[in-house]
Structure formats: structure tokens, C-alpha cells
Amino acid sequence: MPGRTLPTIPTSDVESHNNSKSCYVTIGTKVFDITDFLEDHPGGGDLILDYGGKDVGEIMGDEISHTHSESAYDILDERLVGFVAREKIMNIATEIDGADNIVPLPPNAQGMKELEKRGAANGVATQPVYATTGMSSAEDLSKETDFNTDYQTHKFLDLNRPLLMQIWNGGFSKEFYLEQVHRPRHYKGGNSAPLFGNFLEPLSLTPWWAIPLVWMPPVAYLTATAYSNIGSAFETALYWFTGLAVWTIIEYGLHRFLFHADKYLPDNRVGLTLHFLLHGIHHYLPMDKYRLVMPPTLFAVLAAPFWRVAHIIFFHNWYAALAGYCGGIFGYIIYDMTHYFLHHRNLPAYYRGLKKYHLQHHFADYENGFGVSNRFWDRVFGTELPSPPPPKVIKTT
């Protein structure tokens, strides 16, 4: 199932959310649920309730009444719950052929042109927003997070402080943790957020080049050892490339069933903390360039069982298993380097498509799209992400 985008909410529903138990406001076509902000509003909650279910764009922009800072709009953006098609937009939609170009919102490029022509485009959202992540596009992954606003809004993690003990001591439910950890944040300046906050911090940071530096020498040496004992370059290559092919399904399986074992996590701090260390931190801070590849010590632990797998597949010859295992480890090297480059490099045409695909897994639908170095097993097992809608080209006047 593709990632769900935020809904178009009927006007009557928006207007009914006008009390302290449930308060919506709108700006243009965007609907914000500000119920939990009522008590924190500097002017008091009653002032907001006067505008419950109504558009606040004009009053927020009124410098005579009160100038609202950029952070005020950031607070609203964090509480976006859907879109509303006001009467003028609905009238236009019913008057033209192709109402589905306009509603449900946001409109496509053709619908937007129609709204512009009729003077109704002001304030209309132009991109869908994905419900699980609160994002519209890959570009959103690199927008810096306001630490204070984010913490006040979501009551999850304070990016000013080390993250690990916040997870351990936070008392979060599994449902709340999974909801928050899959809403990406971006640390200031593209740096790495503190995880341990002590002498262990460097152990959590791995540059991409450490992967080939650590693993290529043993792969080359052990491949040569396998070849010298097998005695046939063709046979050695056959075993080696078979191991490489096996790695592709291991990559898919690890990502889907271990890294994203969300439904099977125990609802306690041990399970949530392990999930965060293994993969949750990557979805929480997906553009952190020093937490994109696996620390060598962690991969050594995960790779150990697959030595036994290699011997099960190539049971007839110890050196055939060695060659196959080396091919698999090389597959891992390619996977981890590919993962880094998909997040942080301009790439040739094939990899540009793969980059869009993988970043879509982060900003749109983390429950699908588990292939990183390729999409093959996503296609086989029905977890391939659909192509995102084309960008909306909006005519400016």
C-alpha cells in the first residue's frame, strides 16, 4: 500500500473543530490541529478559540494586531492535518470538466492553472503531504529542524541533548515512538546529533570510506586463498558471484524483517532503544552522513551467522563456501557505499533513479521500498514503491 497522503477535509468538519477539546485553524487550504498548543499560546488559548475553525492567515499577518515570527508558522506546519476546499474552490471544481484536477487537494498542474485563471490560487497548497512523515519531497529531508519548536510540539527527543538516554528514559509507548522516529528531522548544518554525549560518541560515527578500507583487504585476500585451493578461475568466479547474488536477498531481508521489524517490537524501552540504535536513528536523521554506513563492529556481528549460511549453500567444498562468502561480503560493501552515495552524491542516470526511489522510502513510505542497491526483490515480493507524482509546474504571474 502506498504512503497515505493527508486528506481533504470538508469545510463543515473544519468549522466544527472550534473548542478547547478540538481546535482547527486554516491558512489558505491548509488545516492545522492546534488543540495541544492552546495552553502554550503566549496570548492565551481564548484568543485562538475566537478563530477556531476559521482562517487565521489575515490576523497572523496583521502587523498592527501582532507580528508573528517565523517560528509561529513552523509551529503550525508541525500540526498540519489536511487540506480544506473552501466554497470558491468547490464552485470552480463543479463548474469545469475534470473536477478531479482540483479536488481532492492539492490540485494537479492543470487544476492549479484553472484556479489561477479564476483568481482562486492564493494560499492553495501545491504538493501532497505524506501522513506518516509530514513531508512532501526529498528536499524536505534536508530542511533544518528547529530544535526547540520540534521538542515543544512533539514531546519526543530534544536534539540539543544526547539521544540515547532520552530514548531509554523517555517512557515512550511503541506506537508513539514509531510514529515519531519515522518523521525525519535534520540536524543543524548537516552535522551529527549527539548520541552518547561522552567518550563513546566517536564509535557511533562511521565515514563511508571506512567500509572499503576495512573490508576490501580481507575480501581480496580470502578470494585469492579460495582460488588457489579451488584451482579454477571459472569455478571460483561462479561461487563468488553466487554469493554476491545471495547477498541481494539478504540485503532485502535484513532491511525489511530486521531493521523494520516495527510490528514485532516489544513495547518496552529495551526493544525501542535497540531499534533506535540499529535503524531508527537513520530514519529520524536520514541525512546524517556519519550514520549512513554500518560500523564495522556491528557488521561483524551481523555477518557471523552468514558464514554458516555459505557452508550450507556450498556444503561440498570449504573453499567454495569461502569464495561465496567473499562475494557476499563484497555485496555488502557495494550496498553500504551505495546507501551513502544515494543520500549525499550526484550520480549517473541509473543511480539517480535509485536515489529518488530510496529517498521516497524516507519521505513518503517507510513500509515499502526495502531494496537499496536494487529494486529486484521489492518487485518480487510486492513492496515496490510506486513512482511519485510528477512535480507540479505552477505558472507565476
Side-chain angles (χ1 to χ4, degrees), residues 263-322:
K263 295 179 182 177
Y264 308 104
L265 278 180
D267 195 354
N268 58 52
R269 65 182 184 177
V270 174
L272 301 189
T273 301
L274 288 174
H275 180 275
F276 188 75
L277 289 173
L278 188 63
H279 197 60
I281 191 171
H282 174 53
H283 272 264
Y284 187 65
L285 296 161
M287 303 308 285
D288 183 338
K289 61 184 177 180
Y290 291 113
R291 294 194 176 108
L292 277 168
V293 298
M294 202 176 296
T297 49
L298 177 58
F299 179 67
V301 172
L302 293 177
F306 297 111
W307 173 244
R308 181 61 181 164
V309 172
H311 280 273
I312 291 172
I313 296 173
F314 304 105
F315 60 89
H316 64 290
N317 187 313
W318 195 92
Y319 290 101
L322 179 62

Side-chain angles (χ1 to χ4, degrees), residues 61-323:
D62 185 355
E63 295 185 6
I64 297 175
S65 172
H66 175 65
T67 301
H68 285 80
S69 66
E70 187 176 336
S71 64
Y73 292 92
D74 290 339
I75 289 170
L76 284 179
D77 285 340
E78 292 287 351
R79 292 168 169 79
L80 181 67
V81 293
F83 305 97
V84 61
R86 296 291 187 185
E87 183 178 359
K88 186 173 183 179
I89 292 175
M90 290 303 299
N91 287 342
I92 294 172
T94 56
E95 289 171 6
I96 65 170
D97 293 331
D100 57 344
N101 290 328
I102 295 177
V103 290
L105 295 172
N108 62 22
Q110 187 174 343
M112 194 67 189
K113 288 180 180 178
E114 189 65 36
L115 293 178
E116 285 179 342
K117 185 169 68 176
R118 294 170 180 246
N122 188 38
V124 174
T126 59
Q127 288 185 303
V129 176
Y130 292 92
T132 54
T133 65
M135 294 191 163
S136 298
S137 66
E139 288 73 23
D140 290 343
L141 296 171
S142 297
K143 291 181 179 177
E144 286 191 6
T145 300
D146 183 308
F147 296 176
N148 295 326
T149 299
D150 180 72
Y151 184 65
Q152 290 170 9
T153 300
H154 297 291
K155 306 296 190 294
F156 183 47
L157 299 179
D158 181 353
L159 286 165
N160 288 299
R161 300 188 291 121
L163 303 178
L164 181 63
M165 296 312 294
Q166 292 185 69
I167 292 287
W168 182 257
N169 295 320
F172 307 124
S173 69
K174 182 175 97 169
E175 181 181 7
F176 177 76
Y177 164 79
L178 291 174
E179 174 190 313
Q180 289 299 318
V181 85
H182 290 113
R183 293 180 68 90
R185 277 74 163 180
H186 186 57
Y187 200 72
K188 55 188 176 185
N191 295 322
S192 295
L195 180 61
F196 296 105
N198 55 31
F199 68 94
L200 293 173
E201 196 68 33
L203 298 179
S204 73
L205 307 173
T206 308
W208 72 267
W209 46 261
I211 302 307
L213 185 67
V214 169
W215 297 113
M216 279 302 295
V219 165
Y221 173 76
L222 294 174
T223 298
T225 301
Y227 166 67
S228 65
N229 285 273
I230 293 171
S232 165
F234 175 78
E235 283 188 44
T236 304
L238 182 63
Y239 299 138
W240 198 91
F241 280 103
T242 300
L244 178 61
V246 170
W247 162 259
T248 63
I249 194 168
I250 290 174
E251 170 195 318
Y252 175 87
L254 286 174
H255 194 184
R256 181 177 180 181
F257 297 111
L258 179 61
F259 299 164
H260 281 276
D262 300 353
K263 295 179 182 177
Y264 308 104
L265 278 180
D267 195 354
N268 58 52
R269 65 182 184 177
V270 174
L272 301 189
T273 301
L274 288 174
H275 180 275
F276 188 75
L277 289 173
L278 188 63
H279 197 60
I281 191 171
H282 174 53
H283 272 264
Y284 187 65
L285 296 161
M287 303 308 285
D288 183 338
K289 61 184 177 180
Y290 291 113
R291 294 194 176 108
L292 277 168
V293 298
M294 202 176 296
T297 49
L298 177 58
F299 179 67
V301 172
L302 293 177
F306 297 111
W307 173 244
R308 181 61 181 164
V309 172
H311 280 273
I312 291 172
I313 296 173
F314 304 105
F315 60 89
H316 64 290
N317 187 313
W318 195 92
Y319 290 101
L322 179 62

